[in-house]
Amino acid sequence: QTTGVRLSMSDFFSTPTVAGLAALIAGGNADSDAIPRIPDAPSYPASHAQARLYLASRMEGSETAYNITFALPFAGRLDLDALRSALAQLLARHETLRTGFIEEDGNIRQRIAPKLDITLALDDLSACADAPAEALRLARREATTAFDLACPPLLRARAICLGKPENWLVMLVLHHIVGDGWSSRLLLQELAHLYRAYKEGIAPALPALPIAYRDFAA
């Protein structure tokens, strides 16, 4: 990984010493483009992890077992337009958030929408006698609502006003087939960056993505 030279598993068995492997690395060519971009197509192969999660989530009683939920308390006046713009930009930036899953000839494949909108659901609990309890009920319902894996986005967003303009709860629910713990942290970091940029009226400064998940899966 450090040198950029790719070694095969057979290299480790045929050259079982550090000195031998060092010689192979020294004589190798750096592979700086190990994962090439693949051309556009109607659908793409799913990765092994996606295929496993697709099958597991279709088992009886497992429809919501792979929902990843974030409940983000928001202190301060929430700019709903900036949040909508940030969510839209996340979908435009990450193909995996625009990906649905289908079965073709017994194989599980990814189908990516070129453009997709996401709805920010709103709940105003300002007139509710027990806003925290009602917010918890809404959050649990959101977290336990199943996704249709064929219909992206496999991401839902909801903003709950807890009674004051500066007291909000922002919920995100993501299906594990398009995200995990590591990528979810990245998603939240980018969402925060985009939200601040749109709220302040400045251009977001996120680097371009060299590859997409479909390239890795292929």
Side-chain angles (χ1 to χ4, degrees), residues 11-124:
D11 291 330
F12 286 92
F13 285 101
S14 62
T15 315
T17 66
V18 173
L21 289 172
L24 282 180
I25 292 172
N29 295 318
D31 188 3
S32 60
D33 190 20
I35 301 180
R37 298 299 301 261
I38 61 174
D40 292 340
S43 65
Y44 310 89
S47 69
H48 296 302
Q50 286 176 328
R52 177 178 58 82
L53 284 164
Y54 179 90
L55 295 172
S57 65
R58 290 174 64 86
M59 295 176 63
E60 185 176 356
S62 299
E63 294 86 355
T64 64
Y66 299 98
N67 287 4
I68 302 174
T69 304
F70 300 93
L72 312 171
F74 192 94
R77 189 174 294 273
L78 181 63
D79 188 328
L80 293 173
D81 288 336
L83 182 56
R84 291 188 184 97
S85 296
L87 289 166
Q89 184 60 31
L90 273 183
L91 260 67
R93 174 174 170 79
H94 294 286
E95 283 187 353
T96 188
L97 297 179
R98 293 181 274 112
T99 299
F101 296 85
I102 58 173
E103 295 181 45
E104 290 183 349
D105 300 324
N107 297 311
I108 300 162
R109 297 182 64 84
Q110 305 180 66
R111 188 164 56 189
I112 301 169
K115 185 178 180 181
L116 203 61
D117 295 324
I118 182 171
T119 300
L120 175 62
L122 296 177
D123 295 291
D124 184 357

